């Protein structure tokens, strides 16, 4: 959480220096909640497809270590579960989507001149960085699978026209909530 919070502070400062705000990158109240929830379901679907397509490839090269017991203290521990829910919805979904999708994709694309090719390059950079960020506790297998999920989120961010990041935040938070709830209940994900 400390690194994510620090990155958010730095990104916010950089945005302000350029005369921009997070709302310019898609952080705004949805005009239509039914449409946003529909796009959230599309996001969930594409995330599942991309991650599941990556699993056999990742299996060829790396062992799946799961989350290497990083969250094992949550099982049966209500206080730890409630705390992790706060982190899931602030750092794990809200901040990560703003940083990895909105900030990195927009600024990388802009740095390379904008346009379709720059967007694709920015999408790949964002996905690789997102996967790499999870490698320290998920291993390289998890980094590849998480990177594929980040690719799905980033592709949809571009498809949504960078106008509304809320479906990505809601989908990301839903996946993390399910994972931590299963962990709390002692159910293997």
């Amino acid at each position: 959480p400390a690194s994510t919070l620090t990155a958010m502070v730095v990104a916010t400062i950089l945005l302000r220096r350029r005369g921009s705000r997070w709302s310019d990158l898609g952080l705004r109240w949805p005009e239509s909640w039914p449409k946003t929830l529909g796009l959230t379901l599309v996001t969930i679907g594409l995330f599942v497809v991309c991650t599941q397509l990556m699993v056999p490839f990742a299996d060829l090269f790396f062992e799946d270590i799961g989350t290497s017991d990083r969250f094992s203290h949550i099982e049966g521990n209500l206080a730890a579960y409630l705390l992790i829910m706060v982190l899931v919805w602030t750092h794990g979904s809200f901040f990560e989507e703003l940083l990895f999708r909105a900030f990195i994709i927009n600024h990388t694309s802009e740095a390379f001149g904008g346009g379709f090719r720059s967007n694709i390059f920015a999408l790949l950079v964002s996905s690789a960085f997102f996967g790499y960020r999870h490698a320290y506790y998920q291993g390289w297998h998890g980094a590849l699978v998480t990177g594929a999920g980040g690719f799905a989120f980033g592709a949809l961010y571009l498809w949504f026209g960078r106008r509304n990041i809320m479906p990505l935040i809601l989908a990301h938070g839903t996946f993390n909530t399910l994972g931590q709830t299963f962990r709390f209940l002692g159910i293997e994900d």
Side-chain angles (χ1 to χ4, degrees):
S3 65
T4 309
L5 181 60
T6 303
M8 279 299 296
V9 169
V10 169
T12 301
I13 291 168
L14 292 173
L15 282 173
R16 297 283 164 109
R17 286 180 58 199
R18 291 176 165 218
S20 296
R21 299 172 308 196
W22 286 109
S23 61
D24 298 328
L25 304 182
L27 180 61
R28 57 179 65 103
W29 200 253
E31 294 174 15
S32 166
W33 275 104
K35 180 180 177 182
T36 297
L37 294 176
L39 292 174
T40 299
L41 293 176
V42 168
T43 302
I44 288 170
L46 186 62
F47 178 89
V48 169
V49 167
C50 286
T51 56
Q52 292 310 301
L53 287 173
M54 181 56 77
V55 168
F57 179 76
D59 285 343
L60 290 174
F61 300 100
F62 304 105
E63 177 186 359
D64 182 0
I65 63 168
T67 57
S68 65
D69 293 329
R70 179 177 186 205
F71 301 110
S72 61
H73 66 286
I74 293 167
E75 186 173 342
N77 183 338
L78 183 59
Y81 173 74
L82 293 174
L83 177 60
I84 202 71
M85 285 297 100
V86 170
L87 294 175
V88 155
W89 284 98
T90 55
H91 297 277
S93 53
F94 186 74
F95 288 174
E96 283 189 355
E97 288 309 310
L98 289 175
L99 289 169
F100 288 100
R101 260 51 78 186
F103 190 82
I104 290 176
I105 288 176
N106 279 289
H107 286 81
T108 302
S109 178
E110 183 181 301
F112 286 88
F116 181 77
R117 288 183 181 173
S118 294
N119 286 343
I120 297 303
F121 179 71
L123 171 60
L124 295 173
V125 167
S126 169
S127 303
F129 191 37
F130 186 66
Y132 176 74
R133 170 130 176 5
H134 291 79
Y136 76 96
Y137 72 94
Q138 293 181 6
W140 289 109
H141 185 282
L144 287 174
V145 174
T146 302
F151 180 85
F153 285 163
L156 288 172
Y157 177 68
L158 292 170
W159 182 58
F160 297 160
R162 303 175 183 177
R163 291 184 306 273
N164 186 2
I165 200 162
M166 193 62 69
L168 306 176
I169 292 169
L170 294 174
H172 196 151
T174 298
F175 281 114
N176 288 353
T177 295
L178 288 172
Q180 296 301 348
T181 300
F182 290 158
R183 198 165 277 116
F184 172 70
L185 297 173
I187 300 169
E188 294 290 323
D189 6 85

